[in-house]
Amino acid sequence: MLHKFEPATQHVYRSRFRNWNSRAAVRSKPLPEFCGREVKLFFSPELVALAQHPLVQSRGDAVIREILAYHLLGHLNFTDALETEIIAPVACMIGRGQFELPFTPAMLTDARKIAVDEMYHALFTGGLVEEISAAAGVRPFAKHRPSFLLELDSIKAELSTSLTSLVDFFFATVSETLITATLTRVPNDERVASGVRTILRDHAEDEARHHLYFSDALMMTWPALTPGLRRHIGPLLPRFITMFLTPDLLHAQHCLARIALSATEAESVIEEVYSPVLVQADIRARSETVIRIMQRAGVLEDPQAEDAFRSVGLID
């Protein structure tokens, strides 16, 4: 299944988890609490496309605040699903040595720490929905599987079952190496409620270590794949990036319905805010970091992978 991994060319893994006991949120910080007494925003408005549309803004500050609350709830559902269904299971599989990939003993141990981190993230993102909904005065949406998970299900259904775990590993790698503005900007936005900033700051500090871990993992595992496996996995990587970063239009429709926009108005807002040109430009900008990592790992040296990245507009 794999090439013989040559130590002479092996990417060197440097653990960032040696001080995990004193720095990881699950080990060093109390479970975040949300204080509903603050009359603040629930998200940075500039990061929420719906909140920028003139028709939404014309409804006044209370409606904008409501849209921001719904966006936060959508983010929490997205995070809960990602951590629970993809990242934690993949980290557990790595930790138990269930992948035929060149992970070092230190990486196996660190993967178990990542699994603990991610389930803690799922605990506080999933557990604060009712508190935040009450503070915002909104009804939470029914839990649903985000669109990226539905598409991932479809991809795996078309492949041999022998590839399923490898597909999950590379999807997890893509998601953990993408750096989102949500985690880097919102914690420093004083307009946002302190509880929200704490939640996202604690998550961001853990994710910085996970980002480096999975960056190293990609550098070490991609060269170990056989040409046949690269032909299967390479073209999926730009698709994973696009899936992960594409806006959830169904969630957007639900948000606009909650603020009493008509179906025609909601359709117009979504067409303008999430036009294909704007979405494509946003995905390309947000994927620059992970694409640089893939270039260093040699992913784009594979002709089929390179063609796939170019075909979806992620590279020229």
Side-chain angles (χ1 to χ4, degrees):
M1 181 177 180
L2 302 173
H3 285 311
K4 182 69 174 177
F5 201 76
E6 297 294 340
T9 60
Q10 182 176 348
H11 177 81
V12 176
Y13 175 70
R14 182 170 64 87
S15 177
R16 283 85 174 180
F17 291 81
R18 292 190 178 91
N19 56 1
W20 182 77
N21 279 324
S22 61
R23 294 189 61 188
V26 68
R27 299 288 295 168
S28 63
K29 299 176 183 178
L31 193 66
E33 296 180 356
F34 186 81
C35 177
R37 294 188 297 273
E38 290 182 281
V39 185
K40 286 194 171 186
L41 302 178
F42 294 92
F43 222 83
S44 300
E46 298 80 9
L47 299 179
V48 182
L50 292 180
Q52 301 303 306
H53 193 276
L55 186 56
V56 174
Q57 292 189 339
S58 71
R59 300 297 175 99
D61 291 342
V63 168
I64 293 173
R65 189 170 184 266
E66 185 176 348
I67 284 288
L68 297 178
Y70 286 132
H71 183 85
L72 173 61
L73 293 175
H75 169 75
L76 296 179
N77 179 64
F78 181 102
T79 301
D80 188 10
L82 175 67
E83 311 290 43
T84 304
E85 296 199 36
I86 302 295
I87 310 302
V90 165
C92 286
M93 290 181 69
I94 295 172
R96 297 187 66 199
Q98 293 179 309
F99 287 104
E100 296 181 65
L101 292 169
F103 296 112
T104 67
M107 294 183 79
L108 302 186
T109 299
D110 289 348
R112 290 177 180 268
K113 295 174 182 177
I114 290 173
V116 174
D117 286 344
E118 300 297 30
M119 289 311 300
Y120 184 65
H121 299 162
L123 173 64
F124 65 67
T125 55
L128 289 172
V129 168
E130 293 297 333
E131 290 181 47
I132 291 171
S133 299
V138 301
R139 289 180 292 111
F141 295 116
K143 283 288 182 77
H144 71 283
R145 298 188 77 224
S147 56
F148 75 88
L149 284 179
L150 298 176
E151 189 169 351
L152 187 61
D153 289 342
S154 297
I155 289 172
K156 291 191 288 189
E158 297 172 359
L159 298 173
S160 166
T161 55
S162 65
L163 293 172
T164 298
S165 61
L166 198 61
V167 167
D168 282 342
F169 167 74
F170 277 100
F171 184 85
T173 298
V174 166
S175 67
E176 291 293 279
T177 49
L178 284 165
I179 299 175
T180 69
T182 294
L183 294 182
T184 57
R185 290 174 57 183
V186 178
N188 298 316
D189 189 344
E190 294 290 339
R191 298 170 298 172
V192 177
S194 60
V196 175
R197 288 187 283 118
T198 297
I199 292 166
L200 297 180
R201 182 179 295 110
D202 288 354
H203 193 178
E205 290 172 357
D206 286 342
E207 289 301 326
R209 289 185 288 276
H210 301 181
H211 169 86
L212 295 170
Y213 178 94
F214 278 95
S215 297
D216 281 344
L218 181 62
M219 298 291 292
M220 297 172 70
T221 58
W222 179 261
L225 297 182
T226 64
L229 286 176
R230 291 180 195 174
R231 283 194 294 272
H232 282 295
I233 299 299
L236 291 176
L237 298 178
R239 189 172 174 184
F240 291 165
I241 293 171
T242 301
M243 288 160 50
F244 191 83
L245 295 178
T246 295
D248 189 334
L249 299 186
L250 181 60
H251 178 73
Q253 290 170 356
H254 291 328
C255 292
L256 296 176
R258 287 283 180 90
I259 64 169
L261 262 62
S262 69
T264 300
E265 289 173 325
E267 182 179 356
S268 175
V269 169
I270 289 172
E271 285 180 353
E272 292 177 29
V273 167
Y274 297 125
S275 71
V277 172
L278 290 177
V279 169
Q280 175 61 32
D282 180 64
I283 291 173
R284 177 154 178 163
R286 293 166 66 189
S287 64
E288 288 180 353
T289 298
V290 70
I291 290 175
R292 284 197 297 269
I293 295 168
M294 289 182 178
Q295 286 173 326
R296 293 201 301 271
V299 172
L300 296 182
E301 294 174 11
D302 182 271
Q304 288 180 300
E306 183 184 25
D307 288 346
F309 274 87
R310 185 169 288 110
S311 69
V312 296
L314 292 180
I315 61 173
D316 295 321

